[in-house]
């Protein structure tokens, strides 16, 4: 990095303020988190800050609070009632601006709608919506009455929606007639209708009119939101929730075919996020904060809804495709709303890099103060482009590492505490209260510069409560290295103690930052009638980071053909959604397996990437070298 002359690209120096706070947080975690928690509004304070019965942690036990109260009610009691809470922009160019008092009104009326539909505390509500204001409003309305929301990304298929609804035993589904994407209408209601033929638990569907396209409404089940709002009450008492009552369930991919329902609580989750966004983003009530993620992922939950709104900041919500109708749509939005903090993914940055900076320079982006990156490792070139062309060599970039399970940011620079030297590609240091390490296969700290597994050694407030309906699966996070939380990521710590995240060490892929397990993809492929066996590997992709390569063995009597390749791709889209589309499909007569029947992923990866096996190292390989080489040669020939 010596050739770069960034203002804060200097050698490591002692960060007095940061380390004073960090060290105290690790030495006296309970006193530390109690102090932080007092920044939120509680109906009743805690008896104990932490009850730790490994591997289950319960934060702020005995305490009561309400998430929607902390995101809206507490602001309408102050001058913030008249300040902007949300700037929304639809893809066709329509806009809506909500102040905290109009947001408060909407959350109350939506909560009343839910109650009038028979939803109560503990009931599960699925939200299958485009990126419109009604999505965060419904999330907050659920929180207000103690219902548990499960947001399903609107790019998921009917089958994926049904699987999530069934696992969570959802009582009510909220959807829209459609949403806009690249000038077309995504027919959400008809996808939902198909899902509901497989999901008997759903009693009612609320439909938001967004795209104004014809849809079918099933009498006695489907109701228009606007009709229900006519009869809604203007105020609903926020339910006093126990700190460890669930706030939401969010499904994510793991190493089996079945997505796991990550359950987040209320108190710990909110405290963690309130603090993390103050530390990492220097978030304040006057910030105009734009996180470009979809609300359907954890990034959207924490970074669009709960963290910025609990701070009383203004959020930007944009419905559509990033480069539609013109390539500078995003830069136009930043200029138009005076965005001060912009948080996005390396994939998006690489895509815009490809379009060229002339699109950026048409806009005045001088309102920006800070940039963030999340979801996948950011390469130096993308980091530098982001820094120079979007941040005008003025804005620090916070590369934030976290997961659906962690609930909030765990490793990131903390300009909200003290500016530390940045190194392009490193997420730098753990946040206060986060005891992270890189360990070798025995669980001991790995020496500097050596690759190992990223673990978290102590509980943290935002951590998941459990996996819905499957506590055993939750325990697995804590069993690979006994007593510590295993993240599933490879990482390296450098000599300055900075963390460099290298990507997943398990069978989970990150396609354009979207998390998807190979097992889930393989299940989708094998559900095709002509497929006997399938295996997935990822291939490096210059924009998306990784792309999907599918290897299939067909059933007797089926013949490989280009038509069948397309059919398989379509089939996977239908089972999961567009994110599951393979970039390449290979037919083979034999999949590479060890004697014990385990697929040799290293072989698949080497073939997919057209590299030698020596270039593809996984620490988990159990096959002998000869076995691997033989299988590799066989597969290359096929
Ligand atoms: C990856 C997204 C490198 C990592 C918030 C992790 C990252 C997975 C970063 C979780 C980062 C997330 N640098 N890799 N800054 N942030 N990841 O659950 O592999 O969708 O385990 O949560 O994304 O993905 P998830």
């Amino acid at each position: 990095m010596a050739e770069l002359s960034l203002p804060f690209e200097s050698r490591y120096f002692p960060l007095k303020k940061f380390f004073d706070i960090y060290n105290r947080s690790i030495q006296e975690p309970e006193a530390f988190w109690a102090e932080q928690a007092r920044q939120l509004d509680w109906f009743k304070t805690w008896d104990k800050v932490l009850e730790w019965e490994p591997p289950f942690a319960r934060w702020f036990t005995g305490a009561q609070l309400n998430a929607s109260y902390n995101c809206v009610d507490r602001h309408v009691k102050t001058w913030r009632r008249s300040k902007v809470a949300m700037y929304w922009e639809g893809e066709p160019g329509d806009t809506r601006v909500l102040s905290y008092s109009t947001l408060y009104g909407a959350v109350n009326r939506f909560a009343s709608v839910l109650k009038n539909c028979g939803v109560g505390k503990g009931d599960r509500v699925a939200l299958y919506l485009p990126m419109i204001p009604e999505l965060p409003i419904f999330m907050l309305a659920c929180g207000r009455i103690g219902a548990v929301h499960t947001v399903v990304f609107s790019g998921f298929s009917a089958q994926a929606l049904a699987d999530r609804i069934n696992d969570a035993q959802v009582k009510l589904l909220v959807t829209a007639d459609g949403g806009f994407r690249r000038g077309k209408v995504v027919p959400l209601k008809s996808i939902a209708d198909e899902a509901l033929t497989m999901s008997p638990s759903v009693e009612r569907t609320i439909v938001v009119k967004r795209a104004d396209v014809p849809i079918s409404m099933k009498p006695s089940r489907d109701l228009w939101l606007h009709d229900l709002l006519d009869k809604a009450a203007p105020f609903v008492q926020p339910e006093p929730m126990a700190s460890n009552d669930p706030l939401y369930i969010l499904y994510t991919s793991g190493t089996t075919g079945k997505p796991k329902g990550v359950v987040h609580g209320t108190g710990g989750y909110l405290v963690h996020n309130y603090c993390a966004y103050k530390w990492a983003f220097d978030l304040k009530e006057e910030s105009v904060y734009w996180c470009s993620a979809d609300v359907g992922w954890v990034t959207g939950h924490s970074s669009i809804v709960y963290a910025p709104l609990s701070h009383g900041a203004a959020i930007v919500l944009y419905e559509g495709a990033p480069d539609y109708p013109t390539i500078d749509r995003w830069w136009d939005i930043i200029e138009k709303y005076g965005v001060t903090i912009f948080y996005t993914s390396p994939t998006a940055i690489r895509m815009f890099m490809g379009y060229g900076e002339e699109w950026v320079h048409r806009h005045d982006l001088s309102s920006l103060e800070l940039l963030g990156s999340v979801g996948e490792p950011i390469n130096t070139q993308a980091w530098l482009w982001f820094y120079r062309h979007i941040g005008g060599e003025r804005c620090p970039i916070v590369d934030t590492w976290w997961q659906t399970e962690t609930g909030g940011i765990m490793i990131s620079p903390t300009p909200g505490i003290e500016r530390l030297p940045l190194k392009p590609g490193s997420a730098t240091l753990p946040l206060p209260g986060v005891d992270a390490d890189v360990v070798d296969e025995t669980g001991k700290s790995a020496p500097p510069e050596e690759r190992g597994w990223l673990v978290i050694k102590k509980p943290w407030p935002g951590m998941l409560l459990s996996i819905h309906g499957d506590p055993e699966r939750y325990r697995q996070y804590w069993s690979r290295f006994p007593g510590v939380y295993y993240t599933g990521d490879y990482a390296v710590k450098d000599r300055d103690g900075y963390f460099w995240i290298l990507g997943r060490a398990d069978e989970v892929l990150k396609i354009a930052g979207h998390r998807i397990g190979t097992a889930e993809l393989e299940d989708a492929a094998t559900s095709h009638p002509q497929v006997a066996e399938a295996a997935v590997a990822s291939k490096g992709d210059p924009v998306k980071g990784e792309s999907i390569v599918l290897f299939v063995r067909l059933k007797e009597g089926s013949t490989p053909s280009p038509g069948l390749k397309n059919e398989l791709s379509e089939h996977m889209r239908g089972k999961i959604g567009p994110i599951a589309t393979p970039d390449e499909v290979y037919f083979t007569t034999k999949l590479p397996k060890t004697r014990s029947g385990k697929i040799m992923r290293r072989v698949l990866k080497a073939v997919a990437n057209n590299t030698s096996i020596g270039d593809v190292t996984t620490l988990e390989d159990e096959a002998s070298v000869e076995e691997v080489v033989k299988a590799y040669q066989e597969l290359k020939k096929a």
Side-chain angles (χ1 to χ4, degrees), residues 424-493:
S426 169
T428 73
L429 299 172
L431 294 192
V434 175
D435 194 358
D437 200 4
V438 176
V439 297
D440 65 16
E441 66 278 355
T442 66
K444 281 209 306 283
S445 287
E449 314 288 353
E450 244 166 68
R451 180 173 84 157
W453 290 272
L454 180 64
V455 298
I456 313 293
K457 301 203 292 201
K458 287 201 185 70
W460 64 97
M463 66 191 265
L464 69 171
L465 294 180
S466 191
I467 297 296
H468 181 69
D470 200 351
E472 264 325 295
R473 223 170 156 192
Y474 170 76
R475 286 178 189 277
Q476 287 167 13
Y477 289 101
W478 299 85
S479 62
R480 164 81 193 258
F481 300 105
V484 302
Y485 172 87
Y486 171 48
T487 62
D489 280 337
Y490 285 134
V492 173
K493 248 167 84 161

Side-chain angles (χ1 to χ4, degrees), residues 250-253 262 277 297-300 303 343 346 373-378 398-409 411-412 425-427 454 485 487-490 500-506 508-510 513-516 546:
L250 182 61
Y251 285 83
T252 190
S253 273
V262 171
Y277 285 73
W297 310 108
V298 77
T299 310
S303 316
Y343 191 30
S373 166
V374 65
E376 42 177 330
I378 181 164
V398 295
D399 177 1
T400 61
W401 176 87
W402 56 298
Q403 308 180 300
T404 306
E405 294 87 340
T406 69
I409 300 168
I411 304 179
S412 164
S426 169
L454 180 64
Y485 172 87
T487 62
D489 280 337
Y490 285 134
W500 299 74
I501 315 295
L502 305 175
R504 299 292 301 196
D506 56 5
V508 170
L509 310 181
K510 274 281 177 163
H514 298 149
R515 178 167 160 182
I516 183 128
E546 289 185 281

Side-chain angles (χ1 to χ4, degrees), residues 89 100 119 187 226 279 342 367 385 390 401 449 466 532 560 592 601:
E89 177 145 323
Y100 270 97
V119 177
H226 51 258
W279 296 330
F342 179 52
S367 60
W385 190 87
I390 309 303
W401 176 87
E449 314 288 353
S466 191
R601 304 230 161 243

